[in-house]
Amino acid sequence: MSDLDDYQQLRQKHPGWCTIESEPAIFNQILRDAGAPNVRVVELYSLDESILDEPDPIIGLIFLCRWRQDAKEIQETEPDCSSSVWFANQISENSCGSLAMINILFNAESLVLGEELTQLKSFTECLTPPLRGLCLQNSEFLRKIHNSFARRSEILQNNLDVIDACKNTKAPANENSANPESAYHFLAYVPSGGSVWELDGLKRQPVRLGEDDGEHRWLLTAMPRVQLQISKYSEGELMFTLLALTQATANTSTNQAFDASAVRAVQVETLEDNGSFPYATRARHPYVAFMRHYIRVLAGKGIQVGHS
């Protein structure tokens, strides 16, 4: 078996969720592969009413921040998960980015999802947040798409983390940790059932932020909460990112059936225009395994590499 084949098998058969790069282009590719081609992830650089002018409607926000454990944090979550919002707890340590996107997708009623996501949403509809999180963790379909962007070193590190966890030798992540990437976390903000919600997979229940007044002005309710999260960081510390999930619109008449293939074509064209598609393709390619395999082929032909 070649290095390329071995690398692909390692990705496909790895049972856990690996750390991947928090890059909108990669998230866009994950959404396409999972069956949400009419959704695009964009990075926001301001937090004011100008985000209401986005050309495509925003169906959810994702706030990426460095997680800090606060023992004095006030418990604001609802006593029970409302039936008007779909919320799943985070069970796997490295799945928070994909989980945040799923929490948003499953609350957007106007979206047309692929068969796998539709079945998963239907199956988990009546489950509790912990059981929903367990279903997502055990979804081979989602895990393979997520891990397709994992590097070999991250897969091997994930295996070591599992071993350390079994031996109880791994210290919990904190802001002084040698690997601060392990302490990053994703918070999702969505409108659902007439309310605006903060969905934190590490909390038992969602947090209701206020009423949704419609017309996509729910963002005005979510923004103060995001600003509160940002205020927790000292001035000059850039340890957060704000992403928006937007729904691509298709040029269809009101009496015409929704054409998912047309929206998919629009989305692919958009990704290629803004450079996301090529970047995601390059990020997924196993360059190290390719070079090792290429050097072996040259060596087999008697060609020395690295010598003039």
Side-chain angles (χ1 to χ4, degrees), residues 231-301:
S231 67
K232 295 180 181 180
Y233 299 88
S234 60
E235 184 178 356
E237 183 182 1
L238 301 179
M239 305 296 290
F240 50 84
T241 302
L242 183 61
L243 306 174
L245 268 68
T246 65
Q247 182 178 357
T249 55
N251 294 325
T252 55
S253 60
T254 55
N255 59 353
Q256 184 178 2
F258 186 85
D259 188 353
S261 61
V263 174
R264 183 177 294 108
V266 170
Q267 178 66 3
V268 171
E269 182 180 356
T270 302
L271 289 176
E272 291 177 344
D273 288 344
N274 67 15
S276 296
F277 184 78
Y279 180 88
T281 302
R282 292 193 299 269
R284 179 177 275 169
H285 188 73
Y287 286 101
V288 175
F290 170 76
M291 291 305 300
R292 290 176 58 185
H293 178 73
Y294 183 62
I295 292 173
R296 286 183 179 180
V297 171
L298 294 179
K301 296 181 178 181

Side-chain angles (χ1 to χ4, degrees), residues 107-286:
N107 281 293
E109 297 296 335
S110 60
L111 288 183
V112 176
L113 302 175
E115 180 179 358
E116 291 282 352
L117 290 181
T118 300
Q119 291 179 354
L120 183 60
K121 180 181 179 181
S122 177
F123 178 77
T124 58
E125 195 69 40
C126 298
L127 299 181
T128 61
L131 290 179
R132 288 172 178 169
L134 188 62
C135 287
L136 295 182
Q137 180 195 29
N138 293 332
S139 172
E140 184 178 0
F141 171 74
L142 292 177
R143 188 182 68 249
K144 284 184 176 180
I145 295 175
H146 177 96
N147 286 346
S148 67
F149 287 98
R151 299 183 178 92
R152 180 190 292 268
S153 59
E154 291 162 344
I155 297 176
L156 298 178
Q157 181 61 48
N158 188 255
N159 290 334
L160 292 176
D161 290 343
V162 173
I163 295 174
D164 290 339
C166 293
K167 294 180 179 179
N168 294 322
T169 60
K170 184 180 180 182
N174 57 67
E175 58 186 81
N176 297 319
S177 173
N179 181 20
E181 292 293 333
S182 61
Y184 275 83
H185 185 51
F186 294 75
L187 305 177
Y189 297 87
V190 298
S192 183
S195 299
V196 181
W197 303 86
E198 179 185 75
L199 307 181
D200 183 348
L202 296 181
K203 293 183 178 179
R204 296 185 60 183
Q205 304 293 350
V207 177
R208 184 179 180 277
L209 303 181
E211 297 290 338
D212 174 20
D213 57 5
E215 299 299 327
H216 302 290
R217 297 186 64 83
W218 66 272
L219 293 164
L220 299 180
T221 303
M223 282 192 293
R225 180 69 175 192
V226 178
Q227 291 170 338
L228 176 63
Q229 296 290 350
I230 294 176
S231 67
K232 295 180 181 180
Y233 299 88
S234 60
E235 184 178 356
E237 183 182 1
L238 301 179
M239 305 296 290
F240 50 84
T241 302
L242 183 61
L243 306 174
L245 268 68
T246 65
Q247 182 178 357
T249 55
N251 294 325
T252 55
S253 60
T254 55
N255 59 353
Q256 184 178 2
F258 186 85
D259 188 353
S261 61
V263 174
R264 183 177 294 108
V266 170
Q267 178 66 3
V268 171
E269 182 180 356
T270 302
L271 289 176
E272 291 177 344
D273 288 344
N274 67 15
S276 296
F277 184 78
Y279 180 88
T281 302
R282 292 193 299 269
R284 179 177 275 169
H285 188 73

Side-chain angles (χ1 to χ4, degrees), residues 2 6 13 20 53 56 60 62-63 73 76 102 110 125 149 177-178 203 212 219 222 224 237 262 295:
S2 68
D6 178 64
K13 294 184 178 181
I20 63 173
D53 299 328
D56 294 327
I62 295 179
F63 182 66
E73 184 177 2
E76 304 169 291
I102 293 295
S110 60
E125 195 69 40
F149 287 98
S177 173
K203 293 183 178 179
D212 174 20
L219 293 164
E237 183 182 1
I295 292 173

